[in-house]
Amino acid sequence: MIGFVPQSDLLWEEMTAAENLLLFCKIKGVLPEDIPPTIDELLTNVNLIDVKDARVSTFSHSMKRKLSLAIASIGDPRVILLDEPTSGLDNEPRNEVWTMIQKLRKNRAIILTTNSV
């Protein structure tokens, strides 16, 4: 399995963060009984647990990037492809995303394109 974060977020704006994750959990074959704890764990990992039930349309750009990272990590993929994961982010959110990417590196390959140095 491969995880992917495109440069432009592919999120359903009218759905909540949890609903977006639920959809991708089902697509990626997460067992039904594992879905609720998986959603909570992923949202906690990207610091979005407090907006679990908020519509994505209310999210800032950095929050959407974090949700995209969470989606890419569903199913514990061995490879994650990231296309400009910090594009358009200010310094603080950019650093948060880089920290999350560092955590994702454990036991997997991360291939990314970036203009950040």
Side-chain angles (χ1 to χ4, degrees):
M1 183 180 312
I2 294 176
F4 177 59
V5 175
Q7 187 170 1
S8 298
D9 298 305
L10 298 175
L11 304 170
W12 279 266
E13 299 267 330
E14 66 281 356
M15 292 169 51
T16 67
E19 290 168 339
N20 271 275
L21 289 168
L22 171 65
L23 175 67
F24 282 98
C25 280
K26 288 183 176 185
I27 289 171
K28 290 186 174 187
V30 176
L31 296 173
E33 62 271 15
D34 293 336
I35 291 176
T38 297
I39 289 172
D40 287 344
E41 178 184 349
L42 292 168
L43 289 173
T44 299
N45 290 347
V46 296
N47 300 320
L48 294 176
I49 193 69
D50 57 330
V51 292
K52 174 181 179 175
D53 297 316
R55 289 181 187 250
V56 172
S57 61
T58 66
F59 285 13
S60 67
H61 179 62
S62 63
M63 293 167 75
K64 291 177 183 178
R65 298 308 290 163
K66 291 176 186 180
L67 182 57
S68 292
L69 276 173
I71 289 169
S73 66
I74 293 171
D76 196 26
R78 298 290 66 165
V79 176
I80 297 179
L81 306 173
L82 305 173
D83 184 13
E84 294 285 346
T86 59
S87 176
L89 298 181
D90 292 330
N91 286 337
E92 185 176 336
R94 181 183 305 126
N95 291 337
E96 288 178 17
V97 169
W98 281 119
T99 299
M100 291 171 195
I101 291 169
Q102 291 292 326
K103 290 178 185 175
L104 284 174
R105 285 179 28 185
K106 186 175 182 177
N107 298 320
R108 65 174 54 96
I110 304 246
I111 301 168
L112 65 95
T113 61
T114 185
N115 287 321
S116 296
V117 272

